[in-house]
Amino acid sequence: MTQIGFKTDKGKKRDRNEDSLFVLPQEDIYIVADGVGGQNAGEIASAMAVKGIAEYIKERPLRGIEDEAELKKYFLDCMRSINQVIYDTAKQSAENTGMATTVVLLHLTRGNAYFINVGDSRAYICRDGLILQVTEDHTYVNELVKGGSITKAQAEIHPHKNMITRALGGEDKILPDFYRLETYKNDIIILCTDGLYGEVSQEEICDMAAASNSMSELSRDLIQRANQNGGNDNITVICLRL
């Protein structure tokens, strides 16, 4: 039985919450999104993403899809479909121009965890007191780090650290990343927006996860810690213990 906890908070500095989350336990689907864009367009984009993905999956049940290549195609088709809807909506009115959203999605099935992401919302897995960042950030500074131009420490204080290079709805074509990991009993998986990891270190996240007996309490405590450390952005987490 998977334990699930989730929470979202606007943080201490933002007027509104442009993050969204959705859980579909019956399909073992979990989604976190972080909207970008002026006015309230980011809020609209992230809500469209999570609701659109959830509806896509409800209309096209995943049961029976076991082959990894089939699963990859399924989620790529899903992301392309939602991307087109957000992209078209953004073009229809001036106040929605440029709206887009990050998304990180988890699907658990047959002892495996599949992750699909676009943007810089992250998935972590905590196991045996260690934490692994599963997803890769689609950001300008991460490209600099990969190219050797700057260090990870420099990336954390870079003036353009929040500039994302891929987003759902940002362009008419989309290129998500797709990952698979084997899962084990007592693994803790955390999906989150940058409002969490921008304020709380990976080591701290890992320590808090290892010490927690309740995923609902872990979700609450992570958000509380992010706010204590500054709360400069919206914060959203989904925590699962397998």
Side-chain angles (χ1 to χ4, degrees), residues 101-126:
T101 184
T102 72
V103 67
V104 58
L105 179 152
L106 164 68
H107 176 47
L108 296 169
T109 181
R110 296 175 177 269
N112 289 305
Y114 294 93
F115 302 88
I116 298 87
N117 82 294
V118 182
D120 66 348
S121 290
R122 289 182 181 176
Y124 293 107
I125 188 161
C126 303

Side-chain angles (χ1 to χ4, degrees), residues 84-226:
Q84 198 62 52
V85 171
I86 297 173
Y87 181 75
D88 290 344
T89 304
K91 290 195 297 184
Q92 286 166 9
S93 60
E95 64 264 27
N96 290 338
T97 300
M99 81 174 186
T101 184
T102 72
V103 67
V104 58
L105 179 152
L106 164 68
H107 176 47
L108 296 169
T109 181
R110 296 175 177 269
N112 289 305
Y114 294 93
F115 302 88
I116 298 87
N117 82 294
V118 182
D120 66 348
S121 290
R122 289 182 181 176
Y124 293 107
I125 188 161
C126 303
R127 179 186 297 161
D128 299 330
L130 299 172
I131 187 168
L132 169 72
Q133 181 183 330
V134 180
T135 53
E136 185 175 301
D137 298 344
H138 301 143
T139 59
Y140 172 67
V141 294
N142 193 45
E143 293 296 329
L144 294 179
V145 171
K146 283 165 65 179
S149 302
I150 62 171
T151 65
K152 282 192 174 182
Q154 288 171 323
E156 288 176 10
I157 55 170
H158 197 281
H160 301 304
K161 70 174 186 174
N162 295 323
M163 188 186 293
I164 55 176
T165 53
R166 290 190 226 170
L168 209 60
E171 297 178 14
D172 61 345
K173 297 283 191 292
I174 190 70
L175 185 63
D177 285 344
F178 183 87
Y179 304 88
R180 179 188 67 83
L181 282 180
E182 282 186 50
T183 57
Y184 297 91
K185 186 180 178 184
N186 290 323
D187 280 352
I188 294 176
I189 296 174
I190 298 171
L191 307 181
C192 65
T193 58
D194 60 341
L196 177 68
Y197 68 77
E199 304 288 6
V200 186
S201 71
Q202 288 192 23
E203 292 74 17
E204 211 172 350
I205 292 170
C206 186
D207 290 346
M208 292 173 71
S212 182
N213 293 317
S214 159
M215 294 299 97
S216 293
E217 287 178 12
L218 177 59
S219 302
R220 181 200 66 203
D221 292 347
L222 286 169
I223 285 181
Q224 190 174 13
R225 184 67 57 88

